Amino acid sequence: MALERMQVTNHERWGNLVKTWSTGKNYLDDDNEYPIPTTVDEFKEQLAKAQVFMTVPERFKQVKFVAQDYDTIVVRLPPKFAIEDSEERLSKPGATYPLPPFYKRLFNGMDPVIPESEKFRVHAERIGDYTISLCA
């Protein structure tokens, strides 16, 4: 069975919500407050309030925030089953590497195409990038 993943519709609002949680400064240009949520329900409520439009599968029962200190390396390891599920999906004939829709904007309105020969390389590169990224 394929793993149901969280899907973000508005990546810019999502990024601004994360920046808000990290700094305590409201980057969403609204009058709402966004304290770091302690439950999945609070998380979903803030997603709705911030107009992120993210789907959160029912399998999620907890939310955990990890704040990185300036002098500490934090490597966020994805779950084994998530990597295996991605690899299984990418192994299917005709499978393409999924990219968020905002990439199309960055490629002048064209859908970026990851060649078949590159999809596992890109998979590894994105995992590496997103597990240790301090900030862009």
Side-chain angles (χ1 to χ4, degrees):
M1 184 170 115
L3 179 65
E4 188 180 4
R5 289 173 162 73
M6 293 195 302
Q7 297 290 322
V8 177
T9 300
N10 191 325
H11 286 84
E12 182 180 11
R13 299 286 295 178
W14 170 238
N16 283 327
L17 181 57
V18 172
K19 288 167 67 172
T20 298
W21 287 328
S22 182
T23 66
K25 173 186 170 191
N26 186 330
Y27 281 83
L28 293 157
D29 198 29
D30 63 19
D31 294 326
N32 296 312
E33 292 188 18
Y34 299 94
I36 294 175
T38 59
T39 68
V40 172
D41 285 340
E42 288 175 6
F43 181 76
K44 289 178 181 180
E45 288 169 12
Q46 288 194 29
L47 293 173
K49 187 170 35 172
Q51 299 177 4
V52 171
F53 309 118
M54 179 188 293
T55 60
V56 180
E58 290 300 313
R59 68 183 168 91
F60 292 105
K61 305 299 180 208
Q62 299 177 50
V63 61
K64 181 190 300 187
F65 287 81
V66 179
Q68 184 169 347
D69 294 321
Y70 179 75
D71 61 352
T72 303
I73 297 169
V74 175
V75 180
R76 187 175 165 266
L77 298 177
K80 177 183 175 185
F81 66 84
I83 291 175
E84 291 171 345
D85 180 74
S86 294
E87 290 173 343
E88 181 180 326
R89 283 186 305 112
L90 289 172
S91 295
K92 292 181 180 173
T96 58
Y97 187 88
L99 289 171
F102 67 83
Y103 277 79
K104 185 173 184 173
R105 182 185 79 243
L106 302 174
F107 284 84
N108 297 319
M110 297 180 61
D111 284 317
V113 177
I114 309 291
E116 175 77 21
S117 62
E118 291 283 313
K119 64 185 177 183
F120 281 98
R121 180 179 183 182
V122 171
H123 183 246
E125 291 169 334
R126 287 192 78 208
I127 287 173
D129 183 37
Y130 291 113
T131 57
I132 199 165
S133 261
L134 177 58
C135 203

